[in-house]
Amino acid sequence: MLTRLTRLVVLVVALTLTLASGVVAADKVTIEYWHGFTGPDRPLMEQLIAKFNETHPDIEVKAQAIPWGTMWQQIPAAVAAGKAPDVAVANEDVITGFIARGAFAELTPDMLATAGIDKNRFYASLWNTGSYKGKDYGVPVHSVALVLYYNTDMFKKAGVDINKAMSSREEFLKAMQKLTIDKNGKHPNEPGFDLNNVEQWGTMLPLPWMGGCIFYSFLLQNGGRLVDDDATKAVFNSPEGVDALQFLVDLIYKYHVSPANVTEDGSIAGFRQGKVATNFNGVWRVNDYLNQEGLNFAVAPIPKVGGKTYATWGGSSHLVIPKARQVDKKRQEAALKFIGWITQPQQNLFWTGAGGLPTQPVVAQDKSFDNSPMKPVFASLGNVFATAGFPWVSQVRGAMDEAVSSAMLGKKSPKQALDDGVKLADQQIADAMKNIR
Amino acid sequence: MDRATRNRGWERNERRPRVFQFSESNPLSPYLFLIPHAALFLLFTVYPIGFGVYVSLHRWDVLASTQPFVGLEFYRRLLDPNTVQFQFFWKTLLNTLLFVAVSVPLLVGGALSLALLVNRPISGRGFFRAVFFAPNIFAVSVVGLVWRWVLDNQAGLVNIVLDEYLGVRPINFITEQPWAWLSIILATLWWTVGFNMVIYLAALQGIPKTYYEAAELDGASTWAKFSHITWPLLSPTTVFVVITTVIASFQLFGQSLIITGGGPSRSTQSVIMYITEEGFSNFQFSSAAAMAMVLGLIMMLFTVVQFRALARDIGMGAKGDAR
């Protein structure tokens, strides 16, 4: 019995070795790649992968498209079990948390050199989203930002110049007042304005997540920040934060250029139907508007309403190498080659067809963008900042969104709302810190 | 001793009963029948619960190299008013209880009413049965999106009709109370009432016609027939429907998530939503596991109490039990 078993084992081992040597002989490395581009962007990602496989006969990239939320649940378990993919994509809101918990491998200068990646090629704020404590972990592959869509017909009719309107808080407010019209043709800064019968709104400030993105942009423009230097305390209730939120609240309740209780769906529908002159949303919304018949619009960077600098909320996706139990040099090298290739300007240019922004200035200068509706925002891409950079982004962002919502719904004063938000964020940060060790 | 008995005795002596033999003589028989279910039950119910208890007693993170034991720390937090967990767990549990208290009577009463209606010999009743049941086949994401769009503050169908055709101010169904709750309850009712209806319908058809005929001979009114025949005979079904509906309502998740996002100010956030947030957004797995354990205990308690309370009312069933 035992000898028979031994013989069987020997046979199996021999067979495996033969097969394995066959693979080695072909000299082809197969790597696994997980990404969350499951929407209309999926075919473009698949085309890129096919092209890589075609041009790299020694590497085979096997890709799996997994919805983002599912992937965040699977990555930790896969890393712990030693079954993580060779390459994965992590978004700005989770990447630092995963880095701090030890899920991703550091991309050392040597590794970046192997991949042929020069980090100075990318927008600095975008690249830094994939870095933590001075070390690099992710290479940006996808970038989005908050922009302002505006109805060109309405702007023309009201005689408002977009560049002027976006240049300062006063100009933005003036433009919004001109663009808000009640059924008697009166504007909100005129006596007799009928708030209950507004025919056209200047803007619609939506809740809660999109509202958070707008607030965050204005907070940064004021020189404010989400968290302090070592990210252990939330600080978005600073005077800069209160001022930013007060302005948003005033646009609704004092200047009446936006209705209250706006949902994101509502703001989008209002803009599509031509009832609202401007719409704050992400660059990913552009195709919806392009497909809307009779809607003449253009895209601008969001207004500069803060006193200090110019900034806009953005999001991004980064290619990372999840930690392996035992690093297989060959596979890691192949993974780096893939990361290096897919983040090249040429590939990034192709990828922007999926609705993303250029990840590097050299791509933004490409001639093919000359007629793109997004072109006007390219100049400000260096000022795009994600809610990112510390391990407890979702805890802080969630508390911030809740605070912004309650103020924009008129439930709390901006100061009170932000103080409550910071208190909640701090408690959740304290909890999270205990888990990261 | 007749031949048959002797034969059996003989067989028993001759053939040793094997362990896996299904026969009366094998004392393991009942357990053998239970094995297929027991295996799945142990693997997919008992083991996960046990693992959940383990996670809740440790500071657990799958990526961490150590999983230190913290005892009841995460349970203690649920009793300490200064913690976020205390504040939100009980708040969202109360939200959920409110939803259960309002939605269950509607889901049971509505289902019974619909079942009585479509049980009558009306024309096209097959069509109506199908129509009331149909929304059940949708995933919660579809139901949530449809109702979010129908009830949207600005762009929703209802508000456009109110505003442009009836001249009524639009209602903030998504961001103001009590409208936000109304939206969620309406969506839930539309989605699941048909399922309960079908169960009631089956039960109604199981009531012998002769009872009603006898009652009619005695001159019973429609109400008398309902309250003395239909309702008592439906009570086992009602127990089933109430208990399953309470459990389903306790698990409120998708409707709140999609329609209101838990807002305004977490007022429609359900306890399951909060547990998910704590686990998968804040990555506080142990804290989430502890909450899930407490919620599980509360639900079990509810079920036992309900079963006791309602089982007493079951006319036929309980008396037939001969105890």
Side-chain angles (χ1 to χ4, degrees):
Chain A
M1 189 74 178
L2 205 83
T3 47
R4 227 191 295 166
L5 191 73
T6 322
R7 243 184 280 164
L8 192 74
V9 169
V10 169
L11 194 74
V12 168
V13 169
L15 204 69
T16 319
L17 282 176
T18 325
L19 286 174
S21 61
V23 172
V24 174
D27 214 19
K28 191 157 186 156
V29 188
T30 302
I31 57 168
E32 235 187 290
Y33 168 45
W34 289 5
H35 65 82
F37 301 110
T38 54
D41 40 16
R42 182 173 176 169
L44 271 87
M45 182 45 83
E46 278 167 0
Q47 283 170 44
L48 279 176
I49 294 161
K51 198 164 171 213
F52 177 83
N53 285 336
E54 222 170 82
T55 52
H56 296 75
D58 53 333
I59 302 171
E60 165 91 17
V61 175
K62 281 200 172 151
Q64 271 199 68
I66 305 167
W68 297 118
T70 314
M71 186 146 85
W72 310 149
Q73 295 180 19
Q74 287 180 353
I75 287 256
V79 170
K83 293 193 171 135
D86 303 276
V87 183
V89 182
N91 290 348
E92 89 286 348
D93 52 343
V94 296
I95 187 168
T96 325
F98 279 133
I99 294 168
R101 287 164 71 205
F104 301 150
E106 186 201 342
L107 302 174
T108 61
D110 277 354
M111 287 162 82
L112 289 175
T114 309
I117 292 168
D118 172 12
K119 61 178 170 183
N120 296 318
R121 219 171 64 209
F122 297 85
Y123 290 108
S125 60
L126 180 62
W127 177 273
N128 290 338
T129 301
S131 308
Y132 184 54
K133 294 192 171 166
K135 292 176 179 171
D136 301 315
Y137 294 87
V139 184
V141 66
H142 180 62
S143 159
V144 294
L146 178 70
V147 293
L148 190 83
Y149 296 91
Y150 64 99
N151 188 311
T152 45
D153 293 341
M154 291 180 186
F155 268 64
K156 223 176 271 168
K157 207 171 158 198
V160 179
D161 173 53
I162 182 72
N163 293 320
K164 200 174 169 203
M166 298 303 118
S167 65
S168 73
R169 189 181 292 197
E170 292 68 36
E171 290 299 335
F172 177 68
L173 179 59
K174 244 190 256 173
M176 289 302 106
Q177 286 171 332
K178 275 189 199 163
L179 288 158
T180 306
I181 307 164
D182 75 0
K183 67 169 186 203
N184 302 316
K186 285 205 184 318
H187 301 286
N189 49 337
E190 291 171 351
F193 173 74
D194 183 0
L195 187 57
N196 290 329
N197 285 296
V198 178
E199 299 272 279
Q200 176 187 311
W201 288 101
T203 192
M204 279 190 171
L205 297 171
L207 305 157
W209 183 79
M210 189 54 71
C213 293
I214 302 171
F215 166 75
Y216 177 67
S217 306
F218 292 174
L219 169 79
L220 294 189
Q221 292 188 5
N222 268 349
R225 299 168 62 189
L226 274 188
V227 290
D228 65 358
D229 276 332
D230 49 5
T232 54
K233 289 267 180 292
V235 294
F236 55 78
N237 62 341
S238 57
E240 291 86 359
V242 176
D243 173 74
L245 188 54
Q246 185 68 55
F247 178 63
L248 280 175
V249 170
D250 285 349
L251 287 177
I252 300 170
Y253 296 100
K254 185 173 168 191
Y255 302 120
H256 302 300
V257 297
S258 163
N261 284 293
V262 178
T263 62
E264 197 187 328
D265 290 339
S267 73
I268 292 166
F271 188 70
R272 289 175 77 143
Q273 293 160 1
K275 288 180 181 167
V276 193
T278 62
N279 173 237
F280 286 89
N281 213 300
V283 293
W284 56 85
R285 194 61 62 191
V286 69
N287 284 328
D288 284 354
Y289 296 154
L290 284 172
N291 292 334
Q292 181 73 39
E293 229 168 282
L295 176 67
N296 295 316
F297 75 97
V299 186
I302 66 159
K304 183 180 187 309
V305 306
K308 269 253 169 62
T309 169
Y310 184 76
T312 280
W313 173 87
S316 49
S317 304
H318 302 254
L319 292 163
V320 296
I321 295 190
K323 261 192 200 155
R325 278 241 180 95
Q326 235 166 0
V327 177
D328 179 334
K329 277 279 162 211
K330 266 207 149 83
R331 289 174 71 137
Q332 196 188 67
E333 213 165 283
L336 285 169
K337 261 190 198 167
F338 175 63
I339 295 176
W341 181 85
I342 208 166
T343 53
Q344 288 291 322
Q346 204 188 339
Q347 274 64 254
N348 182 236
L349 183 64
F350 176 80
W351 174 249
T352 53
L357 293 163
T359 55
Q360 28 206 318
V362 65
V363 177
Q365 284 152 19
D366 194 90
K367 285 252 173 299
S368 64
F369 286 118
D370 285 354
N371 295 318
S372 160
M374 282 304 155
K375 180 80 179 172
V377 303
F378 283 5
S380 54
L381 286 186
N383 304 84
V384 174
F385 298 89
T387 35
F390 45 96
W392 23 83
V393 167
S394 77
Q395 287 91 326
V396 175
R397 178 75 210 254
M400 181 194 91
D401 286 348
E402 212 175 308
V404 171
S405 275
S406 57
M408 281 170 66
L409 285 170
K411 295 260 185 329
K412 289 178 188 172
S413 72
K415 173 88 178 111
Q416 186 63 49
L418 292 173
D419 284 349
D420 291 351
V422 161
K423 197 178 153 209
L424 170 59
D426 282 350
Q427 280 179 302
Q428 302 202 122
I429 291 173
D431 281 349
M433 281 170 73
K434 285 186 211 151
N435 262 27
I436 288 171
R437 46 184 193 275
Chain B
M1 216 183 267
D2 65 343
R3 226 182 82 182
T5 324
R6 252 192 297 151
N7 264 357
R8 250 186 273 139
W10 175 77
E11 263 178 20
R12 203 169 18 224
N13 292 336
E14 270 322 279
R15 285 180 54 195
R16 216 154 34 107
R18 275 174 292 169
V19 178
F20 292 111
Q21 189 182 337
F22 292 121
S23 71
E24 278 179 51
S25 58
N26 186 352
L28 291 176
S29 262
Y31 302 102
L32 291 176
F33 278 108
L34 285 175
I35 279 179
H37 177 261
L40 296 175
F41 181 73
L42 287 174
L43 190 63
F44 293 110
T45 307
V46 176
Y47 171 72
I49 290 175
F51 191 64
V53 172
Y54 171 87
V55 168
S56 73
L57 297 175
H58 294 71
R59 184 173 287 286
W60 187 88
D61 182 348
V62 69
L63 283 169
S65 48
T66 54
Q67 317 287 358
F69 178 77
V70 293
L72 296 174
E73 155 86 15
F74 290 106
Y75 293 91
R76 194 192 51 77
R77 282 199 206 179
L78 296 179
L79 300 173
D80 175 358
N82 294 318
T83 65
V84 179
Q85 287 79 10
F86 174 91
Q87 194 190 335
F88 291 153
F89 177 74
W90 298 110
K91 181 185 165 83
T92 54
L93 185 63
L94 282 179
N95 290 344
T96 312
L97 286 173
L98 176 76
F99 174 76
V100 171
V102 178
S103 74
V104 171
L106 292 173
L107 284 167
V108 177
L112 179 57
S113 317
L114 286 177
L116 289 170
L117 283 175
V118 298
N119 195 38
R120 288 162 52 186
I122 48 171
S123 62
R125 66 176 182 173
F127 171 76
F128 285 114
R129 286 175 189 178
V131 164
F132 292 132
F133 184 74
N136 250 278
I137 63 173
F138 295 121
V140 66
S141 47
V142 176
V143 175
L145 276 178
V146 164
W147 284 95
R148 191 176 92 189
W149 288 338
V150 167
L151 296 171
D152 187 82
N153 292 354
Q154 284 82 32
L157 178 71
V158 174
N159 273 329
I160 287 176
V161 169
L162 286 181
D163 190 31
E164 292 184 8
Y165 297 98
L166 303 175
V168 180
R169 298 281 307 144
I171 295 166
N172 294 313
F173 286 108
I174 309 295
T175 57
E176 251 180 63
Q177 291 293 15
W179 304 109
W181 268 126
L182 186 86
S183 308
I184 289 167
I185 287 165
L186 203 62
T188 309
L189 202 60
W190 179 79
W191 184 34
T192 60
V193 77
F195 183 76
N196 287 351
M197 178 198 78
V198 168
I199 295 171
Y200 266 129
L201 203 53
L204 282 174
Q205 285 165 2
I207 300 175
K209 294 265 180 300
T210 46
Y211 294 176
Y212 294 106
E213 286 161 10
E216 270 158 31
L217 288 178
D218 290 343
S221 65
T222 310
W223 171 249
K225 278 189 282 180
F226 174 77
S227 60
H228 292 291
I229 301 171
T230 314
W231 179 246
L233 289 176
L234 283 180
S235 54
T237 312
T238 304
V239 172
F240 173 78
V241 169
V242 167
I243 288 176
T244 52
T245 308
V246 166
I247 291 172
S249 293
F250 253 113
Q251 291 169 353
L252 170 69
F253 181 72
Q255 301 97 301
S256 282
L257 185 73
I258 294 166
I259 298 174
T260 62
S265 302
R266 289 187 197 258
S267 59
T268 57
Q269 189 179 38
S270 72
V271 66
I272 302 270
M273 257 174 97
Y274 178 58
I275 292 174
T276 309
E277 179 188 323
E278 182 77 344
F280 291 108
S281 184
N282 297 348
F283 294 114
Q284 299 288 315
F285 299 109
S286 303
S287 173
M291 291 179 203
M293 290 302 143
V294 173
L295 178 65
L297 280 179
I298 292 172
M299 280 173 70
M300 237 191 273
L301 206 71
F302 253 82
T303 309
V304 169
V305 168
Q306 275 183 90
F307 206 79
R308 288 263 164 94
L310 292 169
R312 228 182 291 131
D313 293 341
I314 300 179
M316 301 288 286
K319 277 177 206 149
D321 206 24
R323 254 181 296 176

